[in-house]
């Protein structure tokens, strides 16, 4: 089994207390005490806890309960210590039946343990608040603390969702007609994939199911032409699971036939584990898309790994993962892959996403066998929580950078690539596109060689709007589909 679908059956017994966090901790009997916890959440823990919630298809209340419990117990950090025998993000106790210490220190395992119990509690007590569900699982001596941090937990969920949706570009011409299409992976336990193909002026009619079991909840689903036949395929990164741990970090590909995705086939059995950020691009210029992973490590005491690994496509599998860069896109930054200098090889880009004084964009060019050093290509772009994307919006063969504010202003800004930098001050290309909660994207939907702006509205409308590029701006948004990409689905 690629996903531990039956775990709930083994966890229907009595709720087992975890513990409440105290000032002084003791881990396993052989461990030393620790006297403090980090003040901020660990981004990798946030991503794992969010992914496992999606894997188990929990509702919003149970998801909130998990983030409330994680914040109260550990500030969302995977602590190697705790009160008495408590460990990990939820401070679960190995001597109370939560698992071995090694299991509890695996955030995937710990989150699955929490959520399966929380789902049962919510089912048995539907009137419970999220905090009461958390208390039902945790058995804390301070039961009111969970609901008190609901606002913080909601902010952490938004941060985790942002990381889970960190997809700056992925090609989507599934039938090979030169026009980009749209796809929705509903994930969950169904794992369906729906496609609506482009006619050049709309996305055709009702969406069509192209695969009925691909990309389960918690996996990262992307697209690319992995066998070089001109039709983009689907790929999913499992990131490991509770049953197999890191050894379960498989990569499956479902090749496009032009009218459907074939059954998923394992192309790699160890790539992009845990909370790493997966991406797709033809980094060696052979016409076949490869897979890339950013370890996205947090900087601690001024250092971090922040490595970038590549597994090249052979046309029927991905080769061994090789390190192509040893410091790029640490945690908090927004990585991307695109050919920014027009040499036919995809490069890596990172948006630092700081305030206006530190929102830089760095590029590391591909040599075909590695990525060169990171070089600053722009010093003010994609500030704070703006949503950056990459694509060739003026049709000159070089990928440009685009940022969607996705706020009440709903502005879209572009900085064009000249092959060695993203040119000058950013220029507004649209002043009303992508409202809060929507998911923006770039794709050449009319086949004119210029990437256009798309937004999936999600919410209650589930519409898809397109702003066509004329090479210097995006036209006003026009509805191309009126029911595609529901809440919780992955849309590209």
């Amino acid at each position: 089994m690629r996903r531990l679908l039956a775990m709930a059956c083994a966890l229907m017994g009595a709720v087992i207390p975890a513990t409440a966090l105290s000032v002084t901790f003791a881990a396993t009997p052989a461990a030393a005490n620790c006297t403090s916890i980090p003040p901020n959440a660990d981004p990798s823990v946030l991503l794992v806890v969010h992914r496992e919630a999606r894997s188990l298809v929990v509702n919003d209340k149970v998801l909130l309960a998990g983030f409330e419990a994680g914040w109260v117990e550990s500030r969302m950090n995977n602590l190697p210590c705790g009160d008495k025998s408590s460990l990990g993000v939820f401070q679960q106790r190995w001597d109370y039946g939560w698992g071995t210490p090694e299991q509890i220190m695996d955030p995937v395992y710990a989150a699955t343990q929490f959520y399966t119990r929380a789902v049962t509690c919510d089912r048995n007590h539907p009137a419970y608040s999220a905090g009461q569900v958390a208390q039902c699982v945790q058995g804390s001596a301070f039961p009111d603390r969970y609901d008190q941090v609901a606002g913080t937990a909601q902010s952490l969920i938004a941060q985790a969702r942002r990381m889970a949706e960190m997809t700056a570009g992925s090609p989507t011409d599934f039938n090979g007609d030169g026009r980009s299409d749209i796809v929705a992976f509903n994930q969950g336990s169904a794992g369906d994939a729906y496609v609506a193909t482009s006619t050049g002026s709309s996305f055709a009619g009702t969406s069509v199911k192209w695969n009925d079991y691909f990309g389960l909840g918690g996996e990262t689903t992307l697209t690319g032409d992995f066998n070089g036949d001109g039709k983009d395929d689907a790929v999913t990164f499992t990131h490991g699971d509770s049953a197999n741990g890191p050894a379960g970090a498989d990569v499956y590909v479902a090749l496009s036939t032009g009218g459907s995705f074939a059954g998923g086939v394992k192309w790699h059995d160890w790539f992009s584990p845990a909370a790493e950020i997966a991406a797709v691009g033809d980094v060696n210029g052979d016409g076949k898309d490869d897979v890339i992973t950013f370890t996205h490590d947090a900087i601690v005491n001024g250092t971090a790994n922040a490595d970038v690994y590549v597994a090249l496509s052979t046309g029927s599998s991905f080769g061994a993962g090789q390190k192509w860069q040893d410091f790029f896109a640490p945690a908090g930054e927004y990585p991307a892959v695109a050919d920014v200098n027009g040499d036919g090889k995809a490069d890596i880009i990172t948006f630092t996403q700081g305030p206006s004084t530190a929102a830089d964009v760095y590029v590391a060019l591909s040599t075909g066998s590695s990525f060169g050093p990171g070089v600053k290509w722009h010093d003010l772009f994609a500030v704070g929580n703006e949503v950056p994307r990459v694509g060739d919006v003026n049709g000159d063969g070089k990928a440009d950078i685009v940022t969607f504010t996705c706020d009440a202003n709903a502005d879209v800004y572009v900085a064009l690539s000249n092959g060695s930098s993203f040119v000058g001050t950013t220029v507004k290309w649209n002043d009303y596109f992508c409202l809060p909660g929507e998911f923006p994207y770039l794709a050449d939907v009319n086949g004119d060689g210029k990437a256009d702006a798309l937004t999936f509205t999600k919410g209650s409308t589930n519409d898809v709007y397109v702003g066509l590029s004329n090479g210097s701006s995006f036209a006003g948004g026009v509805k191309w589909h009126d029911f595609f990409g529901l809440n919780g689905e992955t849309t590209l």
Side-chain angles (χ1 to χ4, degrees), residues 42-304:
D42 181 338
S44 66
V45 171
L46 290 179
L47 185 53
V48 168
V49 172
H50 185 269
R51 278 178 177 159
E52 290 312 298
R54 291 183 62 186
S55 173
L56 295 169
V57 203
V58 306
N59 63 31
D60 289 344
K61 181 169 67 176
V62 171
L63 173 65
L64 179 59
F67 276 73
E68 287 179 354
W71 178 254
V72 166
E73 301 296 351
S74 69
R75 296 296 187 267
M76 276 293 190
N77 288 272
N78 194 31
L79 298 178
C81 52
D83 179 53
K84 300 182 176 66
S85 59
S86 302
L87 293 169
V89 60
F90 295 104
Q91 290 291 279
Q92 295 157 340
R93 294 184 62 173
W94 56 269
D95 54 349
Y96 274 63
W98 283 87
T100 66
E102 293 77 14
Q103 287 175 319
I104 293 170
M105 285 301 296
D106 174 5
V108 174
Y109 174 90
T112 304
Q113 293 285 315
F114 177 91
Y115 280 124
T116 48
R117 288 166 169 81
V119 166
T120 301
C121 180
D122 180 50
R123 185 188 309 123
N124 293 338
H125 305 280
Y128 273 13
S129 67
Q132 288 172 316
V133 171
Q135 170 62 11
C136 179
V137 176
Q138 297 294 99
S140 170
F142 304 95
D144 297 332
R145 295 188 305 168
Y146 301 115
D147 274 327
Q148 291 171 359
V149 300
T152 299
Q154 290 284 17
S155 296
L156 294 174
I157 290 171
Q159 183 180 342
R161 179 190 169 197
R162 179 177 173 78
M163 288 188 290
E165 295 180 347
M166 200 171 276
T167 307
S170 185
T172 57
D173 179 9
F174 303 119
N175 59 359
D177 66 355
R179 297 188 297 264
S180 294
D181 312 303
I182 52 175
V183 61
F185 298 93
N186 65 19
Q187 300 200 286
S189 57
D192 296 325
Y194 289 85
V195 167
T197 54
S198 172
T199 67
S201 58
S202 67
F203 295 118
T206 347
S207 55
V208 178
K209 188 188 291 188
W210 275 41
N211 192 297
D212 62 2
Y213 192 74
F214 192 83
L216 305 182
E219 299 182 3
T220 296
T221 46
L222 297 171
T223 52
D225 182 7
F226 303 110
N227 62 350
D229 68 351
K231 298 185 291 289
D232 289 315
D233 315 300
V235 62
T236 190
F237 301 81
T238 68
H239 297 294
D241 58 36
S242 300
N244 299 311
D250 299 322
V251 185
Y252 287 81
V253 168
L255 295 174
S256 172
T257 67
S260 66
F261 296 125
V265 176
K266 188 189 290 187
W267 278 39
H268 205 293
D269 61 3
W270 170 244
F271 197 80
S272 196
E276 295 186 6
I277 304 298
V280 166
D282 180 9
V283 297
N284 63 348
D286 67 351
K288 299 185 292 289
D289 280 319
D290 312 300
V291 288
I292 303 97
T293 189
F294 299 84
T295 65
H296 214 233
D297 304 287
I299 297 177
V300 179
N301 297 325
T303 62

Side-chain angles (χ1 to χ4, degrees), residues 440-492:
Y441 212 61
L442 295 177
D444 179 11
V445 297
N446 63 350
D448 67 351
K450 299 185 288 289
D452 311 300
L454 289 78
T455 189
F456 298 85
T457 65
K458 308 282 186 170
S460 59
T461 59
N462 307 120
D463 296 324
V464 185
Y465 283 83
V466 168
L468 294 174
S469 171
N470 63 18
S472 58
S473 66
F474 295 122
V478 176
K479 188 188 293 187
W480 276 39
H481 204 292
D482 62 1
F483 192 75
F484 194 89
L486 308 185
N487 288 338
E489 296 185 354
T490 295
T491 47
L492 304 168

Side-chain angles (χ1 to χ4, degrees), residues 281-290 312 324 339 343-347 366-369:
D282 180 9
V283 297
N284 63 348
D286 67 351
K288 299 185 292 289
D289 280 319
D290 312 300
L312 297 174
W324 277 40
D339 179 11
D343 67 351
K345 298 186 290 289
D347 313 299
S366 173
T367 68
S369 57

